[in-house]
Amino acid sequence: MNKHMVALLQLLLPLVCEGLHPPKQKCNETLMLKKLPECEKSFEDTMMLINPNQWCNLTEFIMYYYIFSKCTENKAMDVGCFWPNSLADGFITGIHRQFFSNCTSDKITWEDPPDEILTTLILIPIFLTAAMISLVVWCSKRADVFG
């Protein structure tokens, strides 16, 4: 192949490859901000089904929050915006302020695990250590096989 053909291929290859990908849509932030309240309304309606005293209990609302998160992601992607982005983050922060502002705790309470788990966590390293010591002693006596 001559060098002019190679140069022509180098010029045409990006154009051909660009045609294989769908054109990138520019982010329409105005439309995104109009669509995000749909997610907020849906999340608010489902959170109202939960007792407000349980709003800080993650297991009570995690599925609703997941649906809300996917909704905001889909709305942003539908209008060509990346997710998360600063506008969506501000929107999500507003939801957090509305529902989860009282969920912080200044005091961390540490609890011991149940006795069965604690005993298991203590005994496993002891048995593993004893097994490894036994294996080393056995292998050192069997120098004829391993040496």
Side-chain angles (χ1 to χ4, degrees):
M1 225 190 265
N2 74 29
K3 66 180 183 178
H4 296 294
M5 282 296 273
V6 172
L8 183 61
L9 284 174
Q10 287 176 342
L11 287 173
L12 291 178
L13 189 62
L15 295 174
V16 171
C17 290
E18 189 66 34
L20 298 176
H21 299 291
K24 294 186 178 175
Q25 182 181 3
K26 188 173 179 180
C27 178
N28 188 340
E29 294 176 345
T30 306
L31 187 56
M32 182 183 69
L33 288 175
K34 287 181 181 176
K35 288 185 168 208
L36 287 178
E38 296 171 22
C39 302
E40 176 183 24
K41 176 73 171 110
S42 175
F43 184 70
E44 284 177 348
D45 291 345
T46 53
M47 283 300 284
M48 291 304 151
L49 300 174
I50 300 173
N51 182 346
N53 295 332
Q54 294 295 316
W55 284 356
C56 295
N57 184 355
L58 187 62
T59 58
E60 293 291 325
F61 66 85
I62 190 67
M63 182 55 78
Y64 303 136
Y65 191 82
Y66 173 77
I67 293 169
F68 166 72
S69 178
K70 289 306 269 182
C71 179
T72 59
E73 181 179 359
N74 291 337
K75 298 294 182 192
M77 299 298 265
D78 287 347
V79 296
C81 298
F82 288 104
W83 187 91
N85 60 52
S86 59
L87 294 174
D89 283 347
F91 182 78
I92 293 168
T93 302
I95 291 292
H96 280 242
R97 224 177 279 121
Q98 180 180 353
F99 289 102
F100 311 122
S101 62
N102 295 329
C103 293
T104 57
S105 174
D106 295 334
K107 176 176 113 172
I108 298 175
T109 53
W110 296 96
E111 294 181 19
D112 288 335
D115 287 342
E116 298 82 27
I117 294 175
L118 190 60
T119 303
T120 304
L121 290 174
I122 292 170
L123 290 179
I124 287 176
I126 292 171
F127 287 132
L128 284 175
T129 303
M132 293 304 293
I133 291 171
S134 301
L135 185 63
V136 168
V137 169
W138 181 75
C139 288
S140 66
K141 289 184 178 183
R142 306 263 317 172
D144 58 325
V145 174
F146 298 105

